[in-house]
Amino acid sequence: MKKAIPVIVAIVLILIIGAAGFGAMLLEKYSYSKERADLEEYFGIQGENDVPIILQDERIEEHAKIFDNRCYFDIATVHKYFNDRFYEDKEAGTLVYALPDGFWTTRIGYAELSDYGADFEEAGMALDYVVSRYEDGVLYIEADFVQQYSNFTYELFTEPNRVQVYTEGAERQTAPITKDTQVRYQGGIKSDILTDVSEGDTVVVLEEMETWSKVKTQDSIIGYVENKRLGEQTTETLAPPPNNMPSDYKANTRDHKINLGFHGIYNMEGNDTLDSVVAQTKEMNVIAPTWFTLTGNEGEFSSFASASYVEKAHGMGLEVWGLVGNVESVDVDMYELLSRTSSRWNLIRNLIATAQEYELDGINVDFEEVSLDAGEPFIQFIRELSVPCRKYGIVLSVDNYVPMSHRDHYDRAEQGVVADYVIVMGYDEHYAGSDEAGSVASINYVENGIKNTVAEVPANKVINAIPFYTRLWETKGTSVSSQALGMGSAQEYVANHSIAIRWDETTCQNYGEFQSGESFCQIWLEDADSIRVKLNIMEKYEIGGVAAWRLGYETADVWDVIADYMNGSEDGI
């Protein structure tokens, strides 16, 4: 028996050690980790003034900055999430903002603001903080200042830095914490701790799983909590942020359809053609003479304006919207002209002064082939031009291509806010440089132009421009060429060459073709028939009216169709 005692002791010790090991394993498996995550690493903080952004309930890739204990957003973030009306004039080192009735500017890096009215009279004021500043070449704007003109709320937290931003209201699920616990990086007791929450704290429940839920704490840390530590969920409504974005853009739109004719005038003698180009028109109420052409990068333009022309047009019951364009502006760099506040404002002052001098009813902006980099300066010019136009009752209309992705920088939606009319140039589907023959304005092309514009711009502000011309196409081998013909000339050509014409349902135009030697010739006619179908589409979308490029190219019967459209005749369109 004495010999057995050591064996028994050994066995007992083995059992005790085994049990202890097994207990340790169980303890290890089921115990909660006490490891804490590095929150600066978790948030991706780079430097002491770096501030991650939580937008609604998600951390976004953009970061803010802290300067002088104030939160600043970079201008790209401001444009993307809050308000794209803040304009950076890099050359002058200023930040500019156009309001419905004036402007302000501030020198970047300074605690001052210059306030301007519609007549560009200045009033300065000092501030107790720097509105905007550069860091590493990036412009940052103070958050409170951005908030004055934008619809969002924010709360800045420190240790570590982070900012919670709300741009919209929403319903959300919340729940109380029923017992002191931890919010962890992932769902699981071995996951690192992000922060502690106490009994009675409220969290937002973002996603509920079997045993864990994704939550956001009151100080905007997003992680996971065990479901057993959450009380009964309730639905809360997060109120939308206050509406601080200026919206009182009073429009000079008319209470009737617009019927506008573009009048091509390229010298002073062209003004003498007014009587002849309006002689056969019917129900036309606006004429837009092509009087003003940009000539320099400081805002200069040439002018063929005539007081007697305006007086005569008014006597005919026509409003006069003077067109300012850049088609012939070979020495003008549109980016250089529009990107600088000094040259934009010089152009605006001169346009308004000219409009007042000649008693114009409107200004029509026809800036074509605006490059992508000049897109932001272009829409800033339209915003700023709208301010004095609004004050003095001058109608502001802007000519636009049919919407396509590579023209999005024209920002039709913003035009629809600040301008009075957005004119769609519903033609040049196929143009002089096209590599294949085709219609100038097929019905699908026209309808898509109207439909896509109305999706961005109030319908009563949309005017669709129709062509009073067509193109005669000649294809010879791989060579394609064309010549533009007015309606009358095109009909004469068809008659003189005995071209058989048939109605083409695809384009909704009369179409003809013929072989001439090695050349295959085609023509898609613009005439009363094709115009009638286009006007039907305009009526369908209840837009603000019709325009025509250009007076003098049309045949008289077209005006009967347009008159029916203006008068709402069911038989005529």
Side-chain angles (χ1 to χ4, degrees), residues 261-282:
F262 288 105
H263 185 189
I265 296 178
Y266 307 105
N267 50 47
M268 289 303 298
E269 290 72 26
N271 291 305
D272 298 333
T273 63
L274 175 60
D275 287 319
S276 62
V277 299
V278 303
Q280 62 183 0
T281 63
K282 293 181 180 179

Side-chain angles (χ1 to χ4, degrees), residues 429 439-447 506-507 509 526 534:
E429 178 181 4
S439 168
V440 166
S442 70
I443 195 60
N444 288 337
Y445 181 79
V446 172
E447 180 165 13
T506 301
T507 61
Q509 291 173 287
E526 290 295 350
K534 292 174 174 61

